Structure formats: structure tokens, C-alpha cells
Amino acid sequence: MTSHTIWEVPGGIHPPENKAQSMAQALAECPLAPEYILPLNQHIGAPSAPLVSVGQSVKKYQLIADAEGIFSAALHAPTSGTISAIEERLIAHPSGLSAPCIVIAPDGLDEACPLEPCEQPFALEHAAIVAKIRQAGLVGMGGAGFPSAVKLNPHANTSINTLIINGTECEPYITADDMLMQTHTHELLEGVRLLAHTLGNPDNVLIGVEDNKPEAIAALQEAAHKANQKHGCDIQVVSFPTKYPSGGEKQLIYILTGQEVESGKIPASLGIVVQNVGTAVAAWRAVRYGEPLIERITTVVGQSLQVQRNMRVRIGTPMNFVLEQNGFMASQSARLIVGGPMMGYALEQTCVPVIKTTNCLLAPSHSEMPEAPPQQACIRCGHCAEACPAGLLPQQLYWYARSDEHEKLEAHHLFDCIECGACSYVCPSSIPLVQYYRAAKGDIRKAAADKLKSDKARERFEHRQERLAKEEAAKEAKRQARKAAAELNKAKMAAQQAATETSHSQNLASTSTHKDIQPPAIPAIASAEELVANAATAAKAQQDPTLDKARLSRTVESLASSITRMKAQMAEAVSEGLDPSRIEKMAAKLKQTELKAQEAKTKLDAFDKTLATGVLVDAAAQKMMASPQDAAAKTLSSLQKRLSKAQELHLEAVNENKPSADALKQGVIKLEQKIEEAKQALSEAQNAAPSSSSSEPQQPDAAAAAIERAKQKVQAAASMTPEQKAQAAVESLQKRLSKAQERYAKAQETHDENLEAFATGVEKLELKLKAAMEAQQEGSEQA
Amino acid sequence: MAFLRASSPHTHNPNTTHRVMREVLLATLPGVAVLTWFFGLGTLSNILIACLFGLGLEAAVLKMRGRPIAFYLKDLSALVTAVLLAIALPPASSWWLIGVGMIASIVVAKHLYGGLGYNPFNPAMVGYVVLLISYPQYMTLWLAPENLSVQGAIFDITTLFELVFGGLASTTMDGLTAATPLDVFKQTAGLTAQDIYAQKAIFSQGLFAGAGYEWVNIAFLLGGLYLLMRKVFTWHAPIAMLVTLALFATVFYDAGSSNSGGSPLLHLFSGATMLGAFFIVTDPVSSATSNRGRLIYGALIGALVYIIRVWGNYPDAVAFAVLLMNFAAPFIDYYTVPRTYGHKKAQRATHTGGQ
């Protein structure tokens, strides 16, 4: 036997082996139990599908549940009897879960159904062997329970060059594989040969065993030597120094080949398949004798048992029955562990069944496995990092796990942790490190699942929002179109009205200036003019920039007037010999206002320049469209404006004794003359108009009446208290509202196309009225 | 019936923090014995006073923090800090000096940062440096080793009491103290190493690194080897420190000329070298965590010790070097994450993208 190169895994620990106590006695047979509980999921993958129904009688070896898909395993009756139930039962699970189980009440006869032996298993095709192994319900018997047939059926593009048979059994206490290797040596070698044959006879066939099992190694070496000579194969039995956790699949691969399985990949990516010794024996029995997997060797060990030994236990046997066979003293038991002390999990109840992967039942006494002392602070001693076989930094993982830093945990390869427990074992502060990692892994998996879920939900939500937004946009577009149409109509109407009003008020205004009538009339006319201006602006579309211009020019005008007023006040103050400080203040204020005015003016000029072209075009168009009468009126109004400005300037010049005063005076006179001419032109146009329009004659009266009303209003307003003003506002609004309502009603009757515009008008008025009434109320309350 | 539900692993090795700390305390014994042999009872009085302060302060802070007092006192970490500071201080230091040092160690450096396991700096060294900077006049007074002192080492309780609780007249102190080997070497820059060894009593009466001091260092080396054997810590940091220090000393020995920085033996067996290497640098809490990180951490401490000793202002430098590297430990950790099984190369901890 040539010695095989051994690589040493980093880390690892040497806990007390405790293997002698269960090897002292021979392998025993567990008697028939009163009940067999067979969980449908004893393996990694999908649960098997039951083929039997309650009350049906079954025989030993009978298939009672079949594999559901590739990643699943078949299940067979361990003895003859009746199916007493198919229900949820407590299973061997770290969280004490229940799962669907087939329960068999044995009839005690242990009648077997006939098996299909195969005299020449090595003559069978690959597919036939894999099928037989699959039918026998074989799963990895080392602990994980991976369906064996899947492992023996690697992808077509991976060629297997190494078959490793794992007889390491590095966990303390467990001796099931040791016992198997010693008692089933021949079958094991045949099984290894068969597995090698199934995998296409890989170059290396290695049986790895830790050097703490010298009897097993000796027996295997002898058997391997014989087999190699007899069959011309090359099975090597490799022993290596005992160290936990050498038996981990990845660790064993490294020890025997020096290769590492890349993170997230399977050994087959290196051309390696690892099978447990138990699996090899079961495979041999399944193919050679057609015997399904219905029993296994389980170590029953611990100081709370009177007898510690290995037993051949049928799958489904309740653990309490197994323990009873060995004199279990429950009162002395500290805990009940399935598997070894390093990676096994504790059970709360003993009524759970032994399954295909149960290699050990450990029932230690209190002194044997005392409760862990309370956790102390991590002193970063680094013992854990030295013990870690995966090359992780357990202490860093611990900090990150405690602070829920999932990103850091993943960056520190938390998911490469095999949960061997070496770090927890060595921790001097007895921190349950593995528990932290399990919890963190769970959290991360849950977070990932939640994220996936929420991502999907968000996607759905976004789609819905998008759809709704589209519908809403379509509705809104329709609404806008209708609204625009209404506005346009309204504007047209207002423009018409405004045009007529302009001509008449202009007419009147010119006469009043000319006649120099009583002061109250002037503001009235001004307000009338303002009305006209407003109407005119309203006539323009909303985006019309002239609106802004109007606003700017208004500002300029108001500022100019306030400047004159302030100057007058100042002059008065000076003449009356008031407090100089007050005069100074006034001067300052004046200066400020002048500055503001300057600013507004420059803005207006800039605006004018940019608009000039547009406005000119507009004005030209309007001129072309306007009747001669309108044109005359326009000329008149513009002259009027120029006159008032000129007058203002003149006044200013006179006030300040500027030399330009005379020149300005000339300008005023000239303008007055021009206005005179314009008026004549207008009256001529008006005289000519009646023949062209029948409605014309009534209009002057209407305009005059409007101006009259405005005058009255102004006069009334001057003498009114705030309450009265508010009252008046409310009344006028009420009047307007009723009028608007009338119009709306009429429009409804005639199915006017501007119906909507009327409706909005009514609405607006209602709102205004409400506001006015509230204002009135407030005013009266204050009073 | 229901059994105990517990997470694996179900067994635990008998190692505990208490045991680790006890081993460290045990390992200081040879050093303490040799110190006492050469410098008298002052070392023991230091240790006694420091331990009393240590336990008292630890208990008081634990009470204030609302932690179980007995449970935490049992981890012995306060005693380890106290003993290490007491050994580092000049023998027979005043009680209040030790008290101030212990407050800086236990209260500030340890508990204000969250207690055992959370302190970024070595508590004993923080206490030492606080005292060195605040009370240089007391901290530079090392008692003369036995055969150099006028009176011999202090084994007389009365003098000890006067030193610890009274404060002696400075003239008496002058008679009791003497410059340490590193001090002597630093202050006699004009002489060759050979001349210094011949002329200065502290060297001429010793073998290779100053009378008394060399034996103290050998004793601490023995204690350190014991801890290494007991696997309390790994060899990486202390050996890296000693090798780097020796390397520097060899390179700059300059054949013992008047420019010499001192021989490798002088540097390895003088001052606090061995105490630092095996009892301070190995403090797991404040050092780097991976073995590769510890190599870098230890080597840089060795380099800093030499640099400060020879070209810096202080004759010894272990405390400063350790504290400076305590700063750097997390940074080293970031770049020395070990390679995980199944990954082609180690990943820097600064990378946090997952995969």
C-alpha cells in the first residue's frame, strides 16, 4: 500500500473523542418497535409522495412513498403491518417541528415482500445501477441526506476523476461508521467498487479514515488489498491525523487531494464525488440484493444510558424505544442530542423517529455535558480564528452579527461557515458563536426573500401607478381641451364688449378732459378706463406677455405718482418749518421710492424691447382688423396717454424749475392739438358708423350708463365705511352671481356650446361671494 | 418530558477567560521574583497597591454601570492590568501615583470605552503613559539594582513605607536611584559601546545588557515562553516584534562606535522589551486579529521601539510604540483578512459589496 500525500486543513480542534464507550460492545439489533413513524422528508429535497392509504397493510421492504422529482427519495416499510395514520408527527428537527409522516402499526410477523437480487451487478449499465439505487431510497448517510442517485449521476460535461469514501467520522462519541467499517468490511469494499464502476472507474478511489480507528483501518486495508489483487482495481485506504472537523466534505477533499471546492460550487466541479461509508454499503445491498434502505447503524451513547453501544435500527423507530432498549435514565439526562456533540441538535421530546441520517443518539449526563456558562465579553483572543477550518474570522463575524451588519457579514464570507462549532468550542468567553451565525444567516436569507418579495410588490405597484397615471393624464387632457375652448369663448366675448366700451368711454373721457369737469369725475373715468384695460388684457390669451408689461407699467405709474405726492408733502413740510429729522426721513423715503421707480422703468424698457416686435405685429394686426372708428378711438386713447404723461413731466419740470419746462409746455400744447384732431376724426368715424352697423346707436348709451354707474360707485365708495364697503361688495357680487346664473340657465336651455364656461363663471362668482361675505363678517366682528 | 434545548456545539473546552488571565498572572511570577531580587520589596508593594486599586475601581465602575460585580471581577482582567502597570512603574512608587495610573487604566482606558473587550488601547499602557507625561520626575526614578545602590535593595519595611506613603527627601532618593541601562547608553553619546560597558557600573557589573535588567528580561522571556507553550497566544506578534527590534539594532549597531544605537542584546534584554513583547503586545483586545495582521502589528511595534529609543526623546518606548500601533490595529485588520476556504484570494474588509 503506497502512502498517499496528506494535506493539512487549517484550524480544527481536538475535543475529547469519547469513542471507546460505544465500541466496547458488539453491534446489537434493535427489536421490533410498537410503532414506526416515517417522515416523508428525510432528505434534502422534495418530500416523497405517499403511495399507501390508512388501513392498508404493507410488507417489509414495500414501497410506501415514491420520490417526487429528481431531488427526492423513495420510502419503504421497515416491517410488515398496517398503515395506522398519515399525519403530522413531531420529527427530529432542531426547532421541534412536526411534519407529515406515515405511521405503521407492525403486525409482528415482519413479513417481507420478495426482493430482486442481481448476481452480476458489475455487468449492469450506469443507468440501471443509478435506477436501482434510486428505487432503494438511498440518501447520504453521513448526515446531510443528499439523494445518492443524484450524486452518482453527474453532469455529462463533468468527468469524475476521484471517488472519496468518507469514513472519517470526526465527531466525538459517534462510532456508527467505525462499527460499520469493522463489521461490513467486505460489503463496503464491494460497494466502493460498485460506486467506482457507476462513476466510470475514476483514477483515484480513496477511503479516508481518521487515525483514531486503527481496527477499521487495518480491516479496510486488508480487504482493499484483496480486492485490488482480485479485481485489478486500485482502492486506497488513507488514514490521516485525527482532527475535528476533518470529516466535513470540503475538508476531507482538501486533506486527500489538496484541492478546494470553490465557494458556492459542488465537489463534482473538481471531478470529485464523496460518499459516506454507510452509503456505499447500502448501495451494494440495494443493487446486489435489491434491498431498500430500511435500517441503519446508530450509535446510542451517553452517561445517562446503562448500555452504550451501536445498534442496527430500522428507519422510523421512535427514539424513546431505542433509548429504552439501552436503559435510558431520563432523570439523569442533561439533554438529548441527535448527532454528535459538535454539530448535533438537541431534542425536547423523545417520541421522534430515527431517520435515514440519524447516526447517533447522545444522551449525556449533567456532569458529562454541563450547561454552558454565561457568555462573557469577547476579548478578541483569536482562538476562534485559529480553530476555524474555513479560514474565517469568527470574532469579526460575531461583531458584525451582533450589530446586524449583513453586508460586512457577507463580505467576511459568513456563508462559507460550515457551522462545525470549533470556534464556539474554543471560545474562552463561552460565546455561542455558531448560534449567532445561524441567526445571522437566517436573517440574511429572510431579508433576501423579503427583498425579492418587496421588489415584486413594488414592480406591481409601479405598473399600477403607471396605468392609473396614463388614464388620469388622458382625462386631464380632455378636461384641458374643454377648458381652453371655454376660456377662448369667454375671452372673445369680453374682447367684443371691451372694444365697444372703449370707444365710448374714450369719447366721454376726452370731452371731460377738454371741459375740465369736476374732480370726482376724473377718477370715475379713470376706473372706467381701467375696466376697459382689464377687459382688453383678459381678451388676450393667458400666455400673452403684454399682461406682464401692463403690470410693469402700472407699477411704474404708481411709483411715479407716489414720488410726486411725496415731493409735494416734503415741500409743504419745509415751508411749514417742520422737524428737520422728519424731513430727512421723508427725503430718504423719497430717494428709495425713486430708486424703485428707476428699477421698474429699466425693467419695463427691457421688456418693451423684447416684446417690441411681437407687440408691433399684434398692434398692426389689430389696426388692420379694427374699423376706422376703432382705429380713431385707439389713436385718441394713445394721444390721451401721451398727453397726461407730458402734462406730468411738465408739472414736474415746473415744480423743479427745470429749463426744459418751456419745451415740455410746447409739447403739451401740441398734443392737445393732436387730440383735438383725433376727436374730430373719431366723431367723423362715428357718424359714418351707424350706416354700417345697426347695433351701434344703442351702444353709446350703454357705455354712458356704465360710466355713470362707475361714477356713482366711486362717489358712494368715497363716503362709505369699511363695513358698508364690504356690504356693497357682497351685494354687487350677489347681483353678478344672479345675473351669471340667469345666463347659465339660458345657456342650458339653448344648449350653448359655452355652457361650461358659464358654469365655471358661476362657480367663480360663488367663491368670490363667499370670500366677500367672510370678509364682511370679519369686518363686523372687528368692529 | 422536555429536555434542554440548546444550540450546538454541546461541549466546550475547559478554557475560560478566567483561566487565560490566571495563566498570564502566573507567567509574570518569574519576572516579579527577579525584580524583587534586584530592586527589593518595591515591586511587591507596587503590585499590592495596584491590585487593590484595580479591584476597587473595577468594582466601583461595574456597580455604576449596573453590571454584576462578582461575575466580571472573576475574569481577572482588572488584576492583569494592575500587575502589568505595577511591574512597569518604578519599584516603590508612591501610592497616589499608582492610584492615578490605575484610574487612567481601569476607568478611562477600559470602562469608558465599554469594558473588557471593547477598549481600543492597552489599559496598562494608557495608565503608564499618562503617568510618564504627567509626572516625569517620579517616573524616571528607577531604584538602583541591588549591588549598585548605596544601601542595597530595599528590603527594609520602614524605608519602603516612607517611599510609598511619605515621600523621601530628594537627597535620600538620589542615593537610592540610578540611571537605567538604556538611559546611560542614551546619555553617553560620545563614548563607544565598549567604553560604556567598561566605564559605567550598570554595564560593567552586568553581563550584556545591564546589571539586573538583563535578568529581569530573561525572567519575563521565560514567562512568555510558558504562555506560548500553554497556547494563550500565538507567536506571531511577540516574535515579529523581537526580530524587528533585533534587526534594527544589528543594522544600526555600527560596530559599537560612538554613533552606535546599542547592540541587539542590549535592546532585547533592556528596559521593558520582554515584558512588552510577551505581556503587552500580546494583549488580544487591542491588537490585530489575524495572524498575518499580528505579524505586521508586532513588527511595527519593534521598529517603533527602536526608533523612539535611539532617535526619540525617551530612553524606553514600549508603551508609546504599543499605543501607536493600537491606533493602527483596526487598519491592519482591514487589509489582513485571511483567505477563506474556497476563495481564490483574501478579500479586504473594506470591500462590502457582497458577491
Side-chain angles (χ1 to χ4, degrees):
Chain A
M1 205 89 2
T2 52
S3 68
H4 187 91
T5 319
I6 301 294
W7 281 265
E8 200 197 340
V9 272
I13 51 170
H14 297 93
E17 288 171 16
N18 283 307
K19 296 209 182 222
Q21 51 265 57
S22 55
M23 287 303 282
Q25 294 213 19
L27 180 62
E29 191 85 29
C30 187
L32 271 189
E35 185 182 55
Y36 286 91
I37 307 157
L38 295 135
L40 291 175
N41 198 356
Q42 306 187 14
H43 47 265
I44 288 178
S48 357
L51 299 173
V52 290
S53 49
V54 179
Q56 189 179 333
S57 60
V58 291
K59 291 195 170 161
K60 186 180 176 183
Y61 299 132
Q62 185 181 333
L63 182 70
I64 54 172
D66 204 1
E68 184 95 327
I70 294 193
F71 280 90
S72 188
L75 196 55
H76 303 79
T79 184
S80 60
T82 329
I83 306 291
S84 61
I86 300 176
E87 61 184 14
E88 296 255 322
R89 285 288 184 100
L90 268 183
I91 57 161
H93 188 279
S95 302
L97 294 184
S98 297
C101 299
I102 297 176
V103 185
I104 296 176
D107 54 14
L109 303 172
D110 207 21
E111 262 185 293
C113 53
L115 298 177
E116 274 181 62
C118 172
E119 298 295 336
Q120 295 293 328
F122 290 95
L124 288 173
E125 288 288 310
H126 167 88
I129 298 175
V130 171
K132 276 181 182 287
I133 285 173
R134 189 171 153 79
Q135 279 159 18
L138 244 69
V139 302
M141 293 172 77
F146 192 85
S148 303
V150 180
K151 262 191 188 178
L152 292 172
N153 210 3
H155 287 296
N157 54 358
T158 53
S159 73
I160 301 302
N161 54 47
T162 306
L163 169 65
I164 294 175
I165 302 298
N166 190 347
T168 318
E169 203 165 50
C170 58
E171 273 255 14
Y173 285 97
I174 310 179
T175 54
D177 287 349
D178 191 4
M179 183 56 86
L180 178 94
M181 288 187 280
Q182 290 185 39
T183 55
H184 295 69
T185 323
H186 174 70
E187 281 181 325
L188 173 56
L189 261 296
E190 293 298 287
V192 174
R193 276 181 59 221
L194 181 71
L195 292 178
H197 168 74
T198 313
L199 291 167
N201 289 312
D203 301 338
N204 305 301
V205 181
L206 309 168
I207 305 177
V209 189
E210 269 187 347
D211 63 5
N212 61 354
K213 297 179 253 304
E215 293 93 346
I217 292 167
L220 282 174
Q221 277 178 340
E222 201 194 317
H225 184 66
K226 271 188 205 162
N228 288 346
Q229 284 194 332
K230 191 173 165 192
H231 303 286
C233 51
D234 184 22
I235 298 169
Q236 290 186 57
V237 179
V238 186
S239 79
F240 46 87
T242 302
K243 180 161 87 171
Y244 178 85
S246 300
E249 189 176 65
K250 289 178 171 180
Q251 279 64 41
L252 184 62
I253 287 172
Y254 185 76
I255 290 169
L256 295 180
T257 69
Q259 288 177 284
E260 288 185 12
V261 183
E262 208 178 309
S263 178
K265 296 206 171 163
I266 55 167
S269 64
L270 294 173
I272 297 172
V273 167
V274 183
Q275 294 281 8
N276 181 261
V277 285
T279 317
V281 172
W284 173 252
R285 297 193 70 83
V287 179
R288 173 66 184 83
Y289 306 109
E291 190 184 299
L293 180 61
I294 60 153
E295 61 176 20
R296 67 158 297 136
I297 297 177
T298 299
T299 308
V300 189
V301 68
Q303 283 178 7
S304 58
L305 294 164
Q306 280 164 349
V307 187
Q308 304 181 44
R309 58 180 171 182
N310 279 292
M311 286 188 111
R312 207 191 297 277
V313 183
R314 296 199 193 180
I315 309 299
T317 312
M319 287 183 187
N320 44 14
F321 181 77
V322 180
L323 292 168
E324 271 166 33
Q325 303 307 308
N326 297 287
F328 180 51
M329 300 164 284
S331 58
Q332 288 187 24
S333 176
R335 48 185 120 184
L336 184 66
I337 299 161
V338 175
M342 295 304 299
M343 290 184 77
Y345 49 89
L347 291 180
E348 279 192 327
Q349 308 289 335
T350 56
C351 57
V352 301
V354 167
I355 59 169
K356 293 174 182 175
T357 55
T358 311
N359 52 5
C360 181
L361 283 182
L362 176 55
S365 67
H366 289 280
S367 59
E368 199 175 7
M369 261 172 227
E371 266 187 62
Q375 174 182 338
Q376 285 172 283
C378 169
I379 55 169
R380 295 172 26 111
C381 62
H383 290 176
C384 48
E386 267 146 56
C388 182
L392 298 167
L393 280 179
Q395 74 272 46
Q396 296 302 110
L397 291 175
Y398 162 67
W399 290 118
Y400 297 142
R402 278 189 61 173
S403 52
D404 281 333
E405 289 180 80
H406 291 175
E407 276 196 352
K408 285 255 174 78
L409 283 171
E410 287 186 64
H412 276 74
H413 307 308
L414 173 67
F415 283 92
D416 286 300
C417 168
I418 58 170
E419 299 180 18
C420 67
C423 51
S424 306
Y425 178 80
V426 297
C427 179
S429 294
S430 35
I431 302 169
L433 294 161
V434 179
Q435 206 171 334
Y436 278 101
Y437 307 152
R438 283 201 192 108
K441 280 182 185 176
D443 283 350
I444 292 175
R445 286 202 192 100
K446 191 172 174 296
D450 284 353
K451 192 177 173 294
L452 202 71
K453 214 166 135 189
S454 74
D455 279 354
K456 274 190 183 155
R458 197 179 57 230
E459 221 170 272
R460 272 204 304 276
F461 177 72
E462 276 168 0
H463 277 306
R464 182 167 179 273
Q465 289 295 98
E466 211 174 296
R467 198 188 70 232
L468 288 180
K470 266 184 196 162
E471 284 172 8
E472 188 57 36
K475 269 189 206 165
E476 181 64 25
K478 269 187 200 167
R479 204 161 33 230
Q480 285 292 343
R482 276 204 301 273
K483 200 173 165 188
E487 294 263 330
L488 199 66
N489 276 322
K490 208 159 92 182
K492 267 186 200 159
M493 275 175 61
Q496 271 175 11
Q497 206 181 350
T500 47
E501 269 183 21
T502 316
S503 57
H504 296 287
S505 53
Q506 222 38 220
N507 213 353
L508 264 167
S510 58
T511 33
S512 46
T513 5
H514 194 62
K515 285 180 182 166
D516 208 283
I517 56 164
Q518 283 83 7
I522 299 169
I525 292 161
S527 77
E529 271 176 344
E530 212 173 296
L531 275 174
V532 174
N534 281 348
T537 49
K540 306 262 179 193
Q542 274 189 338
Q543 64 265 43
D544 194 340
T546 45
L547 256 179
D548 287 342
K549 194 196 161 180
R551 192 164 45 75
L552 273 170
S553 51
R554 267 206 304 282
T555 319
V556 173
E557 271 165 31
S558 80
L559 281 168
S561 72
S562 57
I563 287 168
T564 28
R565 199 180 60 242
M566 283 162 87
K567 274 181 184 163
Q569 277 176 351
M570 239 171 89
E572 208 176 311
V574 172
S575 65
E576 279 177 23
L578 272 174
D579 192 353
S581 71
R582 260 184 77 184
I583 293 169
E584 239 172 61
K585 259 186 208 166
M586 282 167 85
K589 215 170 174 186
L590 177 65
K591 196 99 196 163
Q592 232 173 5
T593 321
E594 272 174 343
L595 275 172
K596 263 190 202 163
Q598 194 67 36
E599 208 176 276
K601 192 129 194 171
T602 46
K603 252 193 207 167
L604 182 59
D605 286 347
F607 202 78
D608 263 347
K609 264 179 208 157
T610 55
L611 278 180
T613 39
V615 172
L616 277 175
V617 171
D618 268 7
Q622 273 180 359
K623 252 187 196 165
M624 276 171 74
M625 273 160 61
S627 62
Q629 189 190 342
D630 284 352
K634 278 245 166 80
T635 323
L636 185 59
S637 85
S638 86
L639 280 170
Q640 201 80 46
K641 268 185 197 153
R642 279 167 69 188
L643 176 62
S644 66
K645 216 175 248 172
Q647 277 171 336
E648 243 169 55
L649 279 170
H650 175 234
L651 213 70
E652 220 174 277
V654 171
N655 277 347
E656 288 172 20
N657 286 329
K658 276 186 187 165
S660 58
D662 280 356
L664 284 166
K665 177 119 196 170
Q666 290 283 325
V668 171
I669 291 165
K670 260 186 198 163
L671 273 170
E672 274 170 349
Q673 279 171 359
K674 267 190 188 171
I675 288 171
E676 204 59 37
E677 278 167 25
K679 262 194 265 180
Q680 272 171 13
L682 181 60
S683 64
E684 268 169 32
Q686 272 173 337
N687 288 341
S691 59
S692 63
S693 167
S694 59
S695 63
E696 210 67 51
Q698 295 157 2
Q699 280 183 351
D701 289 344
I707 289 167
E708 199 56 41
R709 275 205 302 278
K711 272 188 204 168
Q712 277 173 3
K713 257 190 207 163
V714 171
Q715 272 175 329
S719 60
M720 266 195 263
T721 63
E723 288 112 291
Q724 280 171 326
K725 267 186 197 164
Q727 180 68 30
V730 170
E731 272 169 19
S732 88
L733 275 168
Q734 275 168 340
K735 265 184 212 159
R736 277 169 73 187
L737 178 60
S738 63
K739 230 180 233 173
Q741 276 165 340
E742 261 174 44
R743 245 188 308 185
Y744 179 55
K746 213 188 237 172
Q748 260 179 331
E749 273 171 27
T750 58
H751 298 292
D752 195 322
E753 59 177 40
N754 296 336
L755 189 61
E756 221 164 67
F758 283 128
T760 51
V762 170
E763 255 171 52
K764 267 185 197 160
L765 275 171
E766 274 170 355
L767 278 173
K768 264 190 194 168
L769 179 59
K770 209 172 157 195
M773 278 163 91
E774 269 167 20
Q776 188 192 2
Q777 193 117 25
E778 257 174 49
S780 64
E781 268 168 24
Q782 275 171 4
Chain B
M1 65 168 286
F3 293 96
L4 174 74
R5 183 185 286 176
S7 179
S8 70
H10 303 278
T11 50
H12 197 274
N13 77 352
N15 195 21
T16 57
T17 303
H18 168 85
R19 205 161 127 156
V20 170
M21 298 293 176
R22 206 175 58 203
E23 297 277 18
V24 174
L25 288 177
L26 268 178
T28 59
L29 285 182
V32 170
V34 175
L35 273 172
T36 310
W37 175 265
F38 282 103
F39 299 99
L41 294 174
T43 306
L44 296 180
S45 71
N46 273 6
I47 291 176
L48 189 70
I49 294 166
C51 285
L52 288 176
F53 269 113
L55 291 176
L57 288 168
E58 177 98 347
V61 179
L62 285 172
K63 185 156 175 60
M64 278 193 273
R65 292 179 65 198
R67 306 291 161 109
I69 296 170
F71 176 74
Y72 280 100
L73 280 186
K74 261 193 276 175
D75 66 29
L76 301 185
S77 60
L79 283 185
V80 170
T81 303
V83 168
L84 292 179
L85 180 66
I87 293 170
L89 291 178
S93 287
S94 279
W95 65 272
W96 60 264
L97 192 75
I98 300 172
V100 171
M102 286 309 291
I103 289 171
S105 296
I106 299 288
V107 181
V108 179
K110 186 176 175 187
H111 280 290
L112 286 191
Y113 284 94
L116 180 64
Y118 297 89
N119 48 303
F121 302 107
N122 184 308
M125 289 302 101
V126 170
Y128 182 83
V129 165
V130 164
L131 294 179
L132 184 60
I133 292 170
S134 311
Y135 308 103
Q137 70 272 37
Y138 300 106
M139 294 296 288
T140 47
L141 288 181
W142 261 89
L143 294 182
E146 193 224 5
N147 39 2
L148 290 181
S149 152
V150 183
Q151 301 173 320
I154 303 160
F155 287 103
D156 155 28
I157 300 289
T158 331
T159 324
L160 185 69
F161 254 77
E162 277 179 56
L163 277 171
V164 175
F165 296 104
L168 280 179
S170 58
T171 46
T172 329
M173 285 300 281
D174 286 344
L176 290 172
T177 60
T180 65
L182 287 170
D183 246 339
V184 170
F185 207 90
K186 199 174 179 64
Q187 285 155 11
T188 50
L191 297 175
T192 62
Q194 207 184 353
D195 288 341
I196 295 172
Y197 272 74
Q199 290 171 18
K200 298 294 176 181
I202 194 128
F203 284 110
S204 61
Q205 296 202 11
L207 294 170
F208 47 88
Y213 293 91
E214 53 202 20
W215 289 108
V216 170
N217 273 281
I218 288 169
F220 280 122
L221 170 62
L222 286 176
L225 292 177
Y226 167 77
L227 290 179
L228 209 51
M229 206 183 69
R230 303 286 293 172
K231 294 191 173 166
V232 169
F233 47 72
T234 63
W235 58 269
H236 301 82
I239 299 303
M241 173 196 163
L242 294 178
V243 167
T244 317
L245 182 60
L247 215 67
F248 265 79
T250 313
V251 169
F252 296 103
Y253 181 52
D254 200 17
S257 75
S258 56
N259 285 326
S260 172
S263 72
L265 280 179
L266 172 72
H267 281 286
L268 288 179
F269 292 96
S270 263
T273 306
M274 291 300 170
L275 175 70
F278 291 100
F279 293 87
I280 307 295
V281 173
T282 52
D283 168 31
V285 178
S286 55
S287 83
T289 50
S290 66
N291 284 343
R292 208 151 54 95
R294 282 173 183 166
L295 278 177
I296 297 169
Y297 174 79
L300 288 175
I301 287 177
L304 277 175
V305 166
Y306 189 84
I307 288 165
I308 300 174
R309 273 183 184 178
V310 176
W311 299 299
N313 248 339
Y314 290 89
D316 204 353
V318 173
F320 287 111
V322 167
L323 288 183
L324 282 173
M325 287 315 294
N326 285 167
F327 272 115
F331 178 76
I332 295 172
D333 282 344
Y334 268 134
Y335 293 92
T336 53
V337 175
R339 187 186 67 86
T340 307
Y341 181 104
H343 291 266
K344 286 214 170 59
K345 59 176 189 181
Q347 197 169 32
R348 271 186 273 159
T350 45
H351 176 88
T352 54
Q355 294 191 353

